[in-house]
């Protein structure tokens, strides 16, 4: 089996409402659909969500990287040779979302060729996982309303609360969420690098009063000494996310004392490097969980497959609800979250089908 074509299709899918966090606001899913076709007719898919304020990638840069840099490497190659292809693609630095989507599409192809779902190929650690929901910035009332809707409709009982702006406002939102949702639900916080170190230390102590379990990316990642001071003084674990986007970056962060847990995202490390990061963290006794890059439905399916494939990831709620922000998407069958849990697709590969009418409606290059 050989790869015959690699496509990068920009999409523009509207949101039902904007999603805000400390480093930016998203109003539409300007994602890129990566499609890889083989000579025996199999088609693999991956989704690349651009985050220029985090990784420097835009939809246009992802399309260009896939078309001009990665497709020439992939065409004619065997999709089973993932390690060889990983090394070849790594000669181009950065472009994390583009490479992540390619890796997901390759695993989709391999799963189809083997007749096995991706989560089975990854280890089949679980048949389903608990879901977590990210709550975007807003007024305390708006943030509570979002959480209550997802809790009532989908049974979700784990919430990542976006913080990182005015501390008093952030604490007021967390206070209201805890009061409304009760002590049974898990709340953890994500500042998206929005605070300085001194503010983050105060915030961590105050958040602990509301039984917040973790604090993700509290300050700018390049403030290395400040991050280490936060880790030393915080009563709750500090999670690396944007500051730990590669296997080597994770190793340095953990060994240098910059992070105590790691958020793994399929959108930036695919399945291959995500599994390597999980293995590294397991060896060091470090907690890992599946994060969300405000993924669409394809990314959500991929995240669920990764979590159900890896035992260390299946232990923790998985951030898989943010496709609900989107007014639509290109999948024929959307993901399902019920009673607070979600399950992987059972068909080979990712088990997804692209709706051709929706793809024609939302592609942004025609």
């Amino acid at each position: 089996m050989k790869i015959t074509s690699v496509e990068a299709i920009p999409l523009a899918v509207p949101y039902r409402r904007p999603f805000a966090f400390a480093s930016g606001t998203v109003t539409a899913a300007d994602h890129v659909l990566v499609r890889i076709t083989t000579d025996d007719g199999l088609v693999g898919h991956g989704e690349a969500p651009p985050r220029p304020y985090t990784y420097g990638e835009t939809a246009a840069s992802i399309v260009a990287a896939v078309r001009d840099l990665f497709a020439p490497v992939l065409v004619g190659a065997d999709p089973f040779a993932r390690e060889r292809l990983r090394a070849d693609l790594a000669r181009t630095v950065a472009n994390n979302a583009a490479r992540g989507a390619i890796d997901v599409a390759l695993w989709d192809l391999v799963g189809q060729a083997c007749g096995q779902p991706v989560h089975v190929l990854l280890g089949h650690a679980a048949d389903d996982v608990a879901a977590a929901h990210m709550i975007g910035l807003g007024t305390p009332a708006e943030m509570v309303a979002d959480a209550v809707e997802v809790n009532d409709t989908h049974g979700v009982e784990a919430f990542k609360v976006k913080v990182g702006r005015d501390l008093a406002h952030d604490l007021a939102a967390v206070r209201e969420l805890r009061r409304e949702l009760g002590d049974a639900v898990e709340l953890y916080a994500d500042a998206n690098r929005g605070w300085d170190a001194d503010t983050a230390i105060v915030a961590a102590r105050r958040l602990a009063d509301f039984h917040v379990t973790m604090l993700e990316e509290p300050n700018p990642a390049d403030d290395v000494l400040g991050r280490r001071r936060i880790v030393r003084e915080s009563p709750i674990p500090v999670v690396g996310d944007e500051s730990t986007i590669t296997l080597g970056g994770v190793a340095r962060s953990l060994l240098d004392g910059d992070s105590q847990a790691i958020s793994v995202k399929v959108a930036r490390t695919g399945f291959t490097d995500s599994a390597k990061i999980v293995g590294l963290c397991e060896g060091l006794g470090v907690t890992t969980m599946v994060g969300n890059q405000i993924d669409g439905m394809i990314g959500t399916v991929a995240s669920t497959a990764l979590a159900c494939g890896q035992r260390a990831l299946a232990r923790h709620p998985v951030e898989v609800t943010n496709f609900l922000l989107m007014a639509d998407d290109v999948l024929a069958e959307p993901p399902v979250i019920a009673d607070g849990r979600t399950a992987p697709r059972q068909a080979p590969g990712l088990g997804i089908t692209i709706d051709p009418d929706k793809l024609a409606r939302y592609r942004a290059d025609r």
Side-chain angles (χ1 to χ4, degrees):
M1 182 169 62
K2 301 295 182 183
I3 294 170
T4 55
S5 68
V6 181
E7 301 168 83
I9 304 169
L11 305 174
V13 181
Y15 271 23
R16 294 192 294 117
R17 63 177 184 274
F19 184 84
F21 44 102
S23 55
T25 300
V26 178
T27 58
D30 55 344
H31 297 180
V32 177
L33 176 67
V34 172
R35 184 163 62 187
I36 301 179
T37 305
T38 68
D39 55 3
D40 53 2
L42 297 181
V43 182
H45 294 94
E47 176 184 27
R51 296 291 172 262
Y53 33 75
T54 302
Y55 309 112
E57 289 178 277
T58 66
S61 76
I62 291 170
V63 170
V66 172
R67 180 191 63 219
D68 301 334
L69 300 174
F70 298 145
V73 174
L74 293 165
V75 171
D78 176 3
F80 278 86
R82 293 186 307 278
E83 279 295 303
R84 186 181 305 166
L85 291 173
R86 173 179 177 269
D88 291 341
L89 297 179
R91 294 192 179 100
T92 299
V93 299
N95 293 282
N96 304 89
R99 286 192 288 162
I102 287 171
D103 186 77
V104 168
L106 290 173
W107 277 82
D108 188 16
L109 283 173
V110 168
Q112 292 177 54
C114 295
Q116 294 292 332
V118 166
H119 78 281
V120 172
L121 298 181
L122 287 167
H124 199 172
D127 293 325
D128 64 0
V129 287
H133 176 63
M134 290 199 306
I135 304 172
L137 294 176
T139 66
E142 290 169 339
M143 295 172 74
V144 167
D146 180 23
V148 169
E149 177 186 4
V150 174
N151 178 257
D152 288 346
T153 305
H154 301 284
V156 172
E157 295 187 338
F159 298 90
K160 178 159 83 173
V161 186
K162 292 295 186 180
V163 293
R165 50 184 171 179
D166 176 75
L167 181 56
H169 194 116
D170 290 330
L171 293 173
V174 174
R175 180 186 304 111
E176 289 304 303
L177 284 163
R178 179 57 75 197
R179 183 186 64 81
E180 182 67 32
L181 297 172
D183 292 334
V185 306
E186 179 182 5
L187 296 180
Y188 57 110
D190 180 8
N192 288 113
R193 315 179 309 281
W195 291 319
D196 58 44
D198 290 332
T199 303
I201 290 168
V202 173
R205 292 168 178 164
R206 297 291 303 278
L207 290 169
D209 294 337
F210 300 114
H211 308 295
V212 170
T213 58
M214 298 176 288
L215 175 57
E216 189 173 304
E217 291 294 335
N219 71 321
D222 57 2
D223 179 16
V224 176
L225 297 181
R227 179 67 64 89
R228 293 175 191 170
R229 186 155 56 89
I230 297 167
V231 170
R232 287 196 304 269
E233 300 190 29
S234 173
I236 56 179
V238 174
V239 182
D241 181 9
E242 301 99 297
S243 62
T244 54
I245 61 176
T246 66
L247 181 61
V250 170
R252 286 190 296 272
S253 180
L254 294 175
L255 295 176
D256 289 346
D258 297 342
S259 302
Q260 297 160 298
I262 298 295
S263 176
V264 181
K265 292 182 177 176
V266 179
R268 68 173 176 235
T269 45
F271 291 123
T272 301
D273 274 26
S274 292
K276 291 176 184 290
I277 289 170
V278 172
L280 169 67
C281 291
E282 276 195 292
L284 295 172
V286 172
T287 296
T288 50
M289 70 283 297
V290 176
N292 190 300
Q293 201 155 297
I294 320 182
D295 302 313
M297 291 183 185
I298 297 173
T300 299
V301 171
S303 292
T304 302
L306 176 65
C308 288
Q310 298 281 298
R311 183 180 61 171
L313 297 175
R315 297 182 182 128
H316 304 280
V318 181
E319 295 168 16
V320 287
T321 64
N322 284 86
F323 73 92
L324 298 171
L325 286 168
M326 298 166 60
D328 200 0
D329 207 336
V330 297
L331 284 195
E333 296 181 2
V336 176
I337 302 169
D339 298 323
R341 304 188 70 82
T342 188
R345 304 289 174 100
Q346 297 302 312
L350 289 180
I352 61 174
T353 301
I354 304 296
D355 185 314
D357 294 332
K358 290 184 177 183
L359 178 58
R361 183 183 312 146
Y362 295 120
R363 64 186 301 164
D365 58 351
R366 292 180 180 174

